[in-house]
Amino acid sequence: MSNPFENDNASYVVVRNDELQHSLWPATNPVPAGWTVVHGPDGRQACLDHVERVWTDMRPASLVAALTGDAPRG
Amino acid sequence: MNHPQSTPAAPAAAPAARSLVEDVLPLSPLQDGILFHALFDEEERDVYVAQLLLDLDGPLDADRLRAAADTVLERHANLRAGFLRRATGEPAQVVQRGVRAPWQEVDLSGLGESERTAAVDTLLAEDRATRFDLARPPLLRFTLVRTGPLSHRLLLTYHHIVMDGWSWPVLVRELLALHAADDAPLGPVTPYSAFLSRLHSRDTAAAQDAWTRALDGLPGGTRTAPVSPPPGSVLPHRVETYLPESLTERLGALARGHRITSGTLLQGAWAVLLGRQIRSEDVVFGAVVSGRDPELPGVADIVGLCINTVPVRVRIDPAESLVALFERLQDEQARLIDHHHLGLVEIQRLAGAGELFDSCVAFQNYPIDAAGLAALGAGGLQVTAVDPHDAAHYPLSLTAIPGDRLRLQIDYRPDVFERDTAQALIERLARLLEAVAADPSCPVGTVDLLSPAERHRVLVEWNDTARDEEYAEVVERVRRQAGRRPDAVATTDDTGRELSYTDLVARADALALALLADGVRPGDLVAVLSEPTARVPVAMLGILGAGAAYVPLDPEGPVTRTADLLASGGIARLLAAPEQRARAEEIAAAVPGGLPVLVIDDAAAAAPGERPAPAGGPDALAYVCFTSGSTGKPKGAMVHRRGMNNHLLAKVEDLGLGDGDRVVMNAPLTFDISVWQVLAPLITGGQVHLVTRDTARDPAALFDDAARRGITVLETVPSFVRAAVDLWDTGVLPPALPELRWFIVNGEVLPPELCTRWYARHPQAAIVNAYGLTECSDDNTHAFIGPDVHAQLEHGRLPVGRPLRNNSLYLLDAALAPVPPGVPGELFIGGTGVGPGYLRDPRRSSERYVPDPFSAVPGSRMYRTGDLARMRADGQLDFLGRQDHQVKVRGNRIELGEVETALRAVPGVGEAVVAVDRDHAGQQRLVGYFTGTPTAEEVRTELGRSLPNYMVPSLFLHLPQFPLTVNGKLDRKALPDPGTVHRPAGRLPATPAEKTVCEIFASVLGLQEAGMDDDFFAHGGHSLLATRLTGRIGTELGVRLGIRDLFETPTPAGIAARLAEATAAPARPALRPRSRDQA
């Protein structure tokens, strides 16, 4: 049974929510509410590489704001 | 007659009938199969008894009809055949002369309509239950029921071995024609023997080749039955539905437009449905084919068993359109038409995958519509209705009957399927056909089979867990309890420590202040190195109070691994219990760049009100737990405070925890369940009692402790439960546990038999089967397993229950759509419990924590568990297994890949494979196979430095080389069985006591023989087996040893020496307690 998140031949996107959390998402599925495509469609590994590059602070944006008083970064 | 296949030799049996023998014929493959089944269970009901009930209108002469029946038998020789096996085992059908049709007449015309219907039903049932003796022809009988002056019902009951469903229109037509006129022009008979001759002249080699290619690469048969059908036969039950006329028309038009047959359309739809049902993209089911080769003249007029059942294999590509699948299927099947004659047994042999299918599809295209019936009538006698009861012996059989409204029937074995399951299946099939008509270009993978009601049930109703609650920090909740009951005992441990709520809060606040003073900032991670003592609650609350997150460490974990995870996790501080200072400093020194160590000061207590400003908030981290990772590195699952709080409140809510409760903390601190064991009692004013690691792994000691301390809630893993009940079975009296209210089991599949054995001893302590993921804040479901354990089984499994408060469970298919109840899907968890991700691992986080398309809250996430599960009809979850190589051994999550990576990293090791097997006591264990230069002992020592104890295989087997398959891949099945490779170490036992000890060692470890120096742990011994061993020594030698004795001297020689020391002393606690000084 093919797994929708583990198919190296399928096409994926990287999506991000308002907390700046990043996720892999199958390109053929509609993007759920509250998420924006920030990369892709692309291969699985390329999408994961992108995530690794850009999602450097894994704390939710609202928590960062609460801890530092900073506005969330995009 | 000239039958090349006839065998002149007389059959071995039926000598009295010798002079009556007209002919001897071989059997068709299907006849052979039916004969086998019929003889297999002669005591059972014969499911191959079929019936046909005709409604006849018009003047009827019973004697003429009876004579007509005799004539029909006379015409069709095979209807006069009996079946038997020769002495060689070869079957034969022996045609007899002068056989007349058994005939019975019943007059029900005097009855009212409802009584008459009931009487006919009874008649049908009784007649059907009457077996045929296959050796005594004819294998059919008639019953004529008079229902009125001009209305009759004719019941034909026959054995399937003599004819198929395509035959009876021929038979009825002849019957009625002969009733109308003795000299009716019936035309020549095409004898069944002609069909058999044709069959035996077919090209077997070409057929074998075609079927081999058609089934090539099939991973295995397709089973729809949730359990193996019990042996024997059971009359099927039936559900049916009629498609709307417009849908029937649209499907017909679609089929014509794409030049596909209705049969192909039905088969394609069934394939898609099966694929969804069993979560497979390569399915196979049976199809009934007419077997009537058009090249045989007069084939349509044969009365006999010509049908065959052949496999239909369908590969499902989720991206392919429905219509493309149908067209492809039609092409694939067209190539097999010429080979339909090959017997199923032979086809299955060619496929080499055992029984290929347990469901079967038939498209019934013999005439029973109005026009077809009219064609059967003759003279004044008309057939007005016909009701065939055909026999189906597969667990599931789908039949489609054409008409203005396509009629779908599913016959199912009632001992295998519930009626609701069959009903849901037929409704799904109808929805699928509706989807086909609506959009034939829809990709197969995205067809939605859920009804709106089912969708609402699985997504909304069963996830209706929302609770509104004002958020409060755990520390704040504990302080509230301290304000309410300042002197109440909050925590105790095995070293005799006891802290009141006032003490606990004062120490925790002091620690929080000390951490902040030491430079820890809110959001930092603070690791804790401590034995499980009353210091742990202080440390947890202190860290949380400082706004930091708690990271538990394994007090006996390898220094390098611990240092690695501290370094890669960016841990800010290492907080150590005083007695762990030296080890903590050793670990800190191994962290590149060093790591500040802070030692817990037992004397520090904050004055009332002296506490840090509140810090944290629902999104701040509460704790990080490291679990095994497949790539060889542990992964740190982060849990936020909202998730932890929600889980604590779920435990309070579901268990009704209050200030009278005493919960034991027996889980390893690195196990996330230790978090609730400590904190849930403290937020409700109860007590937590922390036991030593020795007690925690010794069932005898733990339950004694629980009895002594009046524990009300105890949680453990099933393998521990097994060790406990096994121990009690060896004669050790279970302690009375009158105060124990809840017995929670989690971490592994819960065998029902353990529950029964538990309740036999502790009926007052209710079992909760819990399931959850560290990534989702610990437990996500609870199932309350009542004492009627067997009533709660489905397919042999106990449920893991319903979602906890603010949790959602989704079972999804490969297109991420919810699957119907009863169908396996991958489990995704949504809601408050879903944590922020894996510590410093964005890559792995982004593919496991994914958008939740079902949540009402935009931007929320769900966790992809990798677990397969199924929803019961009542909304409880059944856990089915993992999708990957993660295993659980004694409750610990282990990625075999991580252990293999570590094993390969041992200097001198070549190849490495880690497998799971069961030890002698039925418990799972890891076995490490390796090649290379080191010995098993060297490998064990080395792995002990890089892996935590629970991940070090119980057994190591050194192999000169790994067994390979013909393709050069590792042949896992050919790895040697650990039990077979052993030579006793050391001298052989001499004294009777030594002999007994060695025998017990061998028996517990599953060895053939044990020597005096055989090391318990080197042979796969672990703490739970240790309990078994000490239990046996207690019952057989009358001396009670603690498992600690075994840990210290793990050989028969060592144990024999301890026995000698203790012989004079009475039973326990002769050598116990012996817990180390943990002050």
Side-chain angles (χ1 to χ4, degrees), chain B residues 92-128:
Chain B
Q93 46 187 323
V94 181
V95 178
Q96 295 189 11
R97 289 192 184 90
V99 174
R100 296 192 62 197
W103 188 268
Q104 199 195 158
E105 289 175 25
V106 181
D107 191 343
L108 299 180
S109 58
L111 298 181
E113 192 169 329
S114 61
E115 289 164 302
R116 192 161 59 224
T117 308
V120 170
D121 285 348
T122 308
L123 192 78
L124 243 78
E126 283 175 1
D127 198 34
R128 189 175 188 183

Side-chain angles (χ1 to χ4, degrees), chain A residues 1-6 14-19 21-26 28-35 44-60 62-64 66-67, chain B residues 275 279-281 318 522-523 547 616-617 619-621 638 813-817 826 828 835-853 857-862 864 883:
Chain A
M1 193 73 187
S2 55
N3 186 301
F5 287 96
E6 287 178 10
V14 176
V15 293
R16 190 182 64 194
N17 64 10
D18 289 347
E19 292 286 11
Q21 292 169 316
H22 289 65
S23 285
L24 190 68
W25 188 251
T28 45
N29 282 59
V31 174
W35 295 85
R44 185 172 187 277
Q45 292 307 322
C47 283
L48 292 176
D49 289 345
H50 177 82
V51 168
E52 200 156 20
R53 213 161 40 241
V54 302
W55 195 18
T56 48
D57 184 350
M58 290 181 64
R59 294 175 298 171
S62 60
L63 177 66
V64 174
L67 284 172
Chain B
R279 210 177 158 82
S280 167
E281 286 169 1
D619 280 316
L621 284 190
M638 300 190 280
D813 65 18
L816 298 181
E826 182 175 359
F828 289 69
Y838 292 114
L839 183 62
R840 295 195 167 188
D841 194 344
R843 199 182 180 91
R844 198 138 52 172
S845 301
S846 71
E847 53 162 339
R848 303 302 293 208
Y849 298 79
V850 299
D852 178 351
V857 183
S860 49
R861 303 194 299 173
M862 60 183 183
R864 180 163 71 89
Q883 296 203 114

